[in-house]
């Protein structure tokens, strides 16, 4: 039933323990849902209540702690033995008197995990200051340190099976973008186009069903293209306006994202000029993404191209991508930007998205790539351009 | 362009300031995306990087702080003046050296908001311990307290316009559940049914487009019905199995959720018996949800019914619902459970969802209700039963 062999989970846990040893961490409390999934297979939309996977130096296998009603889901989706699954009682949920991590701390103490150095994911989603304070108060004999994205970094290089799932997501992504480009038409309500996008994302292909993506479809339109991260309204698309489609596809929680820009009518020359710059810069970045190059080298290749055209962009042009849960398909490790000296290795996977936002317009064209021995390879086969629909 | 008149936002801010004064809070840092939206209208899928709305006792209007690229989105979606919108530079994003809330703290200091008592949403999503530590370190002259869901509680009683949006969501919800019940058929892949569900959620009605819901569609099937919060796979539905449909509809970020159970084939007697108990108990809870009653009174009404039938359920049977972003449409205020002594008032809105999970099966049938002067009124008009498809 699990998407990976048990041996793959065990290898991930072993790598995690090695990284823990290097960082002097005895016990790791992973709260990031993607890290929980990576280590145990746990999968459910239950991250709206506190939960964690605990990896202990001497624990035979990780502990998975969820709300009691979700412990049944942990039994169904993980390889863990029943006594490694802990459900906190429901009166801990959204209580003003007690926190679920009071309960987790108690269970950790019972297992002798209340001493030594405990690594916490200090900047993870779904780990609140209150949860942090609960652990500190209830485990007074432990020393707490930031894990610095320890499991995220273990995830950075993908296994062949992970690449396979991202490739399946890519097949879905190609269909989704085709549907999306076709759906953006004058007088069509944005919501009706997005309905088709969602349907394509989830139906997937006849071979591979799609999963929910960690971002909702984003499709700023008109003046909205000057900013990312706007979703949609029930207003119609308008002739003479651009729409940015920043979409994803997901297979078994592994993502392949893609952005394209659609213009309804005759695009202004500045948009067409910018398209050329972005395409040239994107190709330069992809060509630079070879094993041994650093993340900042990749960005520099892009920057050289756009500088020649007098274009300036301050924000990063990409990030590691793969396994995740809402609200982000990025993995919070590598960023393609100055000062990121991470050395690229085969089977790292990145979303190269050098978006340009101007005062009242913008362009996005992106590729999700796999670093291979011979250089970067886009996951998708889809025309890389601004789609002009007359 | 905004879904509410500016006067409604100003009234919300005024109520928030009154609550702040009562709790001795001079400055409130709201990081919950729903609270940010409630206070300013800000709307975008940007909560994957740190952001906040700051309400100051003496500030003329709130400050909205987002990533620089999202400041343009704040200009488009809020009523705030340009100098109330702050964008932190991109090198703060997922950096190991600096945190976006270092920047926020600096901007707060510039505005004299670095002293007195600062209220923080200590258990909010998207507020990490690292963000908390950044504020503490950079604002050493302030005293920090938990806001105890201050804005969430201001949100508890809905305005007429909010009720209108939830009613529009209800019209969408009725369509969504009809589509979902129809789509669950033997040999149909789960993902193909969910594709139809998403399409119905987002297309909405001819009058009202749908928004993304804060939960993905959840549809545990077969043995999965013994647990909530499982999503779907590409396996087909199977005759002789139940499927729980826990779905929502969303209009301008306002939700109306609904759960129903579908059985393919002839259901076992225990399921039909439980259906009766759940329906009787649910009606008792709804009848009890009158102004002046407490949340625990409502749960007690349910509990009396199920106790008579020898059924035990430990988890809460409902919660406040309305405005929210992923991962939860609940508002983290009232819970229908023992010891919750919140007194119900007209225009409070609740999701009554007394789900039953047994060892290897379960039943869910829910209603989203509005408390009115005369008692509770379900938002939706949809058959309340287990759908048996022969």
């Amino acid at each position: 039933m699990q998407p990976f062999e048990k041996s793959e989970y065990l290898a991930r846990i072993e790598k995690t323990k090695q990284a823990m040893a290097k960082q002097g961490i005895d016990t790791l409390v992973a709260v990031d849902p993607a890290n929980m999934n990576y280590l145990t297979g746990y999968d459910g939309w239950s991250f709206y209540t506190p939960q964690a996977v605990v990896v202990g130096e001497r624990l035979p296998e990780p502990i998975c702690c969820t709300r009691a009603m979700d412990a049944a889901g942990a039994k169904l989706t993980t390889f863990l033995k029943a006594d490694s699954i802990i459900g906190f009682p429901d009166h801990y949920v959204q209580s003003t008197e007690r926190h679920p991590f009071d309960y987790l701390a108690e269970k950790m103490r019972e297992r002798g995990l209340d001493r030594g150095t405990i690594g916490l994911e200090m900047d993870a989603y779904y780990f609140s200051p209150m949860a942090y304070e609960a652990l500190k108060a209830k485990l007074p004999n432990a020393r707490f340190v930031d894990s610095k994205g320890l499991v995220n970094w273990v995830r950075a290089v993908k296994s062949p099976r992970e690449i396979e799932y991202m490739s399946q997501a890519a097949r879905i992504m190609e269909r989704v973008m085709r549907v999306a480009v076709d759906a953006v038409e004058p007088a069509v309500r944005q919501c009706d186009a997005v309905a088709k996008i969602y349907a394509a994302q989830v139906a997937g292909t006849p071979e591979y069903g799609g999963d929910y993506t960690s971002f909702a479809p984003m499709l700023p339109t008109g003046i909205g293209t000057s900013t990312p991260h706007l979703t949609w309204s029930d207003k119609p698309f308008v002739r003479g306006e651009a729409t940015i489609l920043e979409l994803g596809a997901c297979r078994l929680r592994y993502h392949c994202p893609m952005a394209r820009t659609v213009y309804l009518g005759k695009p202004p020359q500045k948009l067409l000029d910018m398209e050329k710059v972005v395409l040239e810069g994107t190709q330069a970045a992809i060509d630079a993404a070879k094993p041994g190059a650093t993340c900042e080298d990749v960005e520099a290749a892009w920057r050289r191209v756009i500088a020649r055209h007098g274009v300036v962009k301050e924000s990063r042009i990409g990030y590691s991508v793969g396994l995740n849960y809402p609200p982000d398909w990025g993995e919070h490790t590598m960023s393609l930007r100055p000062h990121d000296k991470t050395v690229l290795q085969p089977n790292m996977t990145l979303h190269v998205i050098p978006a340009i936002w101007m005062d009242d317009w913008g362009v996005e064209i992106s590729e999700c790539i796999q670093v291979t021995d011979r250089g970067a390879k886009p996951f998708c086969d889809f025309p890389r351009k601004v789609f002009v629909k007359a």
Side-chain angles (χ1 to χ4, degrees), chain A residues 169-384:
Chain A
R171 298 295 79 73
I172 301 174
M173 186 65 242
E174 291 157 356
R175 288 176 173 236
V176 168
M177 191 56 81
R178 174 54 57 201
V179 165
V181 170
D182 288 349
V184 176
E185 281 287 340
V188 168
R189 294 191 308 171
Q190 298 171 28
C191 58
D192 289 324
V194 177
K196 291 182 182 171
I197 291 169
Y198 267 117
Q201 284 175 325
V202 175
T205 76
E207 297 83 18
Y208 322 121
D211 208 341
Y212 57 91
T213 56
S214 293
F215 280 97
M218 292 179 291
L219 65 168
T221 188
I223 191 177
T225 57
S226 62
T227 178
H229 307 139
L230 295 188
T231 50
W232 63 88
S233 73
D234 48 13
K235 303 252 177 334
F237 296 104
V238 173
R239 192 175 298 280
E241 286 192 351
T243 298
I244 289 174
L245 299 161
E246 189 173 336
L247 308 175
C250 185
R251 172 73 178 154
L252 300 166
R253 307 304 325 134
Y254 283 83
H255 290 80
C256 178
M258 186 195 291
R260 290 292 182 270
T261 303
V262 176
Y263 198 90
L264 297 178
K266 186 176 154 26
Q269 192 56 41
K270 63 181 179 184
L271 180 66
L272 298 175
D273 292 344
M274 190 62 85
E275 175 192 16
K276 265 192 214 153
V277 177
V278 169
L279 289 178
E280 187 187 338
T282 302
Q283 190 57 52
I286 294 174
D287 290 343
K290 294 192 162 75
T294 63
C295 286
E296 69 172 0
D297 293 341
V298 176
E299 199 269 353
W302 150 269
R303 190 176 285 255
R304 274 192 299 275
V305 169
I306 64 169
R308 209 166 60 228
H309 295 281
V311 175
V312 174
K313 173 179 165 68
E314 291 305 334
S315 50
R316 65 179 183 174
I317 65 155
Y319 48 81
S320 57
V321 70
L323 172 66
N324 221 337
Y325 284 83
D328 194 1
W329 51 49
E331 296 192 314
H332 296 205
T333 46
M334 298 88 84
S335 287
L336 300 178
R337 64 182 166 193
H339 311 300
D340 190 322
K341 300 193 187 298
T342 312
V343 176
L344 295 181
Q345 300 174 49
N347 288 350
M348 285 182 166
T349 49
L350 297 156
H351 188 203
V352 180
I353 178 165
I356 298 284
W357 301 287
M358 308 302 277
D359 272 358
D360 57 357
W361 61 287
V363 183
E364 287 190 30
I365 299 172
S366 81
E367 290 290 350
C368 182
I369 62 168
Q370 172 193 359
V371 178
T372 76
D373 290 339
R374 291 182 305 277
K377 196 177 82 174
F379 276 99
C380 288
D381 177 13
F382 199 84
R384 198 187 300 165

Side-chain angles (χ1 to χ4, degrees), chain A residues 61-252:
Chain A
E61 65 177 20
I63 298 166
C64 181
C65 177
T66 65
R67 187 178 180 183
M69 62 172 71
D70 295 311
K75 281 179 196 123
L76 290 173
T77 62
T78 74
F79 63 85
L80 300 175
K81 296 188 186 75
D83 65 359
S84 301
I85 297 171
I86 298 166
F88 58 82
D90 218 62
H91 61 279
Y92 282 87
V93 174
Q94 294 162 21
S95 162
T96 52
E97 290 149 47
R98 58 193 84 82
H99 194 278
F101 277 16
D102 295 344
Y103 192 85
L104 171 63
E106 181 58 37
K107 296 294 154 184
M108 286 173 66
R109 184 163 42 224
E110 284 172 19
R111 286 164 171 79
L113 302 172
D114 58 333
R115 282 156 201 281
T117 299
I118 298 181
L120 301 176
E121 297 180 332
M122 289 291 282
D123 207 23
Y125 305 126
Y126 314 124
F127 185 36
S128 72
M130 195 175 282
Y132 174 50
E133 297 288 356
L135 289 180
K136 282 201 297 187
K138 301 283 174 179
L139 299 173
N141 297 319
R143 182 180 156 254
F144 292 96
V145 297
D146 183 13
S147 75
K148 297 180 192 288
L150 188 156
V151 183
N152 303 59
W153 282 104
V154 172
R155 284 162 45 198
V157 174
K158 306 293 182 287
S159 73
R161 180 61 67 92
E162 288 180 292
I163 295 287
E164 192 183 322
Y165 290 146
M166 289 182 71
S167 302
Q168 293 174 359
R171 298 295 79 73
I172 301 174
M173 186 65 242
E174 291 157 356
R175 288 176 173 236
V176 168
M177 191 56 81
R178 174 54 57 201
V179 165
V181 170
D182 288 349
V184 176
E185 281 287 340
V188 168
R189 294 191 308 171
Q190 298 171 28
C191 58
D192 289 324
V194 177
K196 291 182 182 171
I197 291 169
Y198 267 117
Q201 284 175 325
V202 175
T205 76
E207 297 83 18
Y208 322 121
D211 208 341
Y212 57 91
T213 56
S214 293
F215 280 97
M218 292 179 291
L219 65 168
T221 188
I223 191 177
T225 57
S226 62
T227 178
H229 307 139
L230 295 188
T231 50
W232 63 88
S233 73
D234 48 13
K235 303 252 177 334
F237 296 104
V238 173
R239 192 175 298 280
E241 286 192 351
T243 298
I244 289 174
L245 299 161
E246 189 173 336
L247 308 175
C250 185
R251 172 73 178 154
L252 300 166

